[in-house]
Amino acid sequence: MKLLFHSKECTKRCTILLFLGIITFSAIAKTAPTIGGVVRARYEIQTTNGRNRFAIRNSRIWIKGSLMPKLSYFVSTDLCDQGQFQFLDAYGKFDVGNGMTIQAGQFRIPFGVDPFRGPGNYIFADRSFIGRDIDNIRADGVQVSYMFQQDIPAVITLGVFSPNTITDQNHWSKTLHYALKAEVPIGLFKITGGLQTIKPDAVRVNMADACVSFSNGGLTAEAEYILEHYVNNPFPDCHSYNLWFDYGIPLEKTIFNKLSFQARFDASTSHSNGTVTNGSLSEDHPNRKRLTIGSTLGYAEKPVKYEIQLNYQKYFYNKGYAAPDGRNDKIVAELIVLF
């Protein structure tokens, strides 16, 4: 007999009940929550072999609000991440005062820049290698953030997390994940740096991140680099970087009010997720490079944002590597609706 308590169907039901419970409690407390979401529908075709597909890339919904002046909450789930249900975030945040906040629950580890962009704010149809493969980590834990009350509002965040995945929380361990992130705005630039140490299996993995972002008028540009070191050298260090720019042109407001053009070059050397297979670390992602060019036609004016995005992706692999479907040269067209 199938035990529904451990099934995905039970997880979906529990998530729906959680959302309804938050809405009900908020109504009783007379503090209406904010409900939002994003839908990304896409078509993509590989130019190397003509294979193609339609997909619902995301159907994400979230609820956020406050139960009292200094206590807020956030819950999000993806009802269809390429056909899969994903329970993503659930945390409470307490504003201690004097620039300090404490956040506890399930959320993204504070490390990196591109991984923190949500599906309603992606610059390109597909995330960078850094955002999708290198540092796509959510975990259960606690973080403390402090914003300096000075002319330069720098923010420092320190987090401690369980090493288990968010789909297997009934796991005890003697190890923890740690992360430190600092953000400093300087004029038109924002400098971000971070350190992270995780132990997803028998090998501890240490990571360092550096990012420079620039924004002026219609131009936004960013360069991010991550170094990943496997303790005791069971696997070569992984170097990954992401370089991109976006230039937007305002349009006379009709059904669209902005046209933008983007270009990106991202790459990573051979990468392991840190999981031991047959006594050694496996290569989860090969040495690869990618050039992406695209254009976005959109409308953004609260409370609604929608975009039509068109990208072309050109992949570069070592000679002899046979890329799986989805990691070949391709054209991607996407409709994004954020509400």
Side-chain angles (χ1 to χ4, degrees):
M1 181 178 179
K2 184 177 181 180
L3 297 178
L4 292 178
F5 183 78
H6 295 289
S7 69
K8 290 184 179 180
E9 185 63 32
C10 178
T11 304
K12 294 180 185 179
R13 293 175 181 177
C14 290
T15 303
I16 292 172
L17 289 174
L18 176 62
F19 271 70
L20 292 175
I22 291 174
I23 294 172
T24 302
F25 185 82
S26 299
I28 295 174
K30 298 182 180 180
T31 55
T34 299
I35 301 175
V38 60
V39 175
R40 296 171 59 215
R42 71 161 53 179
Y43 171 77
E44 51 192 333
I45 180 169
Q46 298 181 147
T47 59
T48 53
N49 54 22
R51 292 173 64 82
N52 65 97
R53 70 168 184 172
F54 285 96
I56 301 298
R57 188 59 188 83
N58 294 102
S59 179
R60 189 171 298 189
I61 188 169
W62 58 79
I63 298 176
K64 60 181 178 180
S66 299
L67 299 179
M68 56 182 66
K70 290 184 176 292
L71 180 62
S72 60
Y73 60 86
F74 182 85
V75 179
S76 72
T77 187
D78 207 317
L79 303 176
C80 184
D81 182 345
Q82 299 186 93
Q84 299 296 317
F85 176 87
Q86 299 282 348
F87 182 62
L88 300 173
D89 302 288
Y91 61 80
K93 180 187 289 186
F94 182 67
D95 182 359
V96 179
N98 296 320
M100 180 177 290
T101 60
I102 299 175
Q103 181 173 307
Q106 177 175 296
F107 48 92
R108 191 174 292 281
I109 290 179
F111 180 80
V113 175
D114 202 58
F116 274 80
R117 291 189 171 94
N121 297 297
Y122 290 160
I123 311 301
F124 300 87
D126 282 332
R127 291 172 291 174
S128 68
F129 297 141
I130 285 177
R132 182 181 62 190
D133 303 325
I134 306 300
D135 190 50
N136 187 16
I137 305 175
R138 278 183 168 85
D140 302 289
V142 61
Q143 71 176 33
V144 178
S145 296
Y146 180 75
M147 176 178 285
F148 291 89
Q149 305 297 306
Q150 298 176 350
D151 294 336
I152 299 177
V155 179
I156 294 181
T157 303
L158 174 66
V160 183
F161 301 85
S162 292
N164 53 282
T165 65
I166 60 175
T167 57
D168 180 21
Q169 300 183 16
N170 189 26
H171 175 74
W172 294 78
S173 175
K174 292 184 178 181
T175 63
L176 290 169
H177 291 346
Y178 303 92
L180 173 67
K181 182 176 181 179
E183 302 170 87
V184 183
I186 303 176
L188 300 175
F189 294 88
K190 183 167 76 170
I191 312 300
T192 306
L195 298 171
Q196 178 176 256
T197 177
I198 61 176
K199 195 172 183 180
D201 203 336
V203 176
R204 182 162 286 280
V205 182
N206 297 329
M207 305 172 70
D209 172 83
C211 181
V212 178
S213 305
F214 172 84
S215 182
N216 184 25
L219 176 64
T220 304
E222 189 171 279
E224 183 171 14
Y225 167 77
I226 289 182
L227 168 64
E228 192 165 6
H229 173 70
Y230 305 87
V231 175
N232 296 324
N233 302 307
F235 195 87
D237 289 353
C238 176
H239 304 268
S240 55
Y241 51 90
N242 179 35
L243 313 170
W244 62 266
F245 80 87
D246 175 281
Y247 185 74
I249 303 170
L251 302 176
E252 183 178 348
K253 188 186 298 183
T254 54
I255 60 171
F256 300 107
N257 63 5
K258 184 179 180 180
L259 173 65
S260 58
F261 301 92
Q262 305 89 23
R264 174 182 66 189
F265 186 74
D266 63 331
S268 79
T269 58
S270 180
H271 172 253
S272 173
N273 290 333
T275 302
V276 176
T277 303
N278 298 324
S280 62
L281 292 183
S282 60
E283 181 188 69
D284 296 288
H285 305 101
N287 190 313
R288 65 261 167 93
K289 300 178 180 68
R290 177 176 56 181
L291 175 65
T292 306
I293 57 174
S295 180
T296 302
L297 186 62
Y299 180 92
E301 189 165 309
K302 291 182 179 181
V304 175
K305 171 185 175 181
Y306 55 84
E307 295 177 340
I308 298 174
Q309 197 168 69
L310 183 65
N311 284 179
Y312 171 70
Q313 302 176 21
K314 174 67 179 178
Y315 286 80
F316 304 90
Y317 296 103
N318 289 342
K319 186 176 180 180
Y321 178 76
D325 281 340
R327 304 297 176 96
N328 287 293
D329 301 352
K330 61 181 178 178
I331 296 171
V332 184
E334 199 166 74
L335 171 65
I336 305 103
V337 179
L338 179 68
F339 59 90

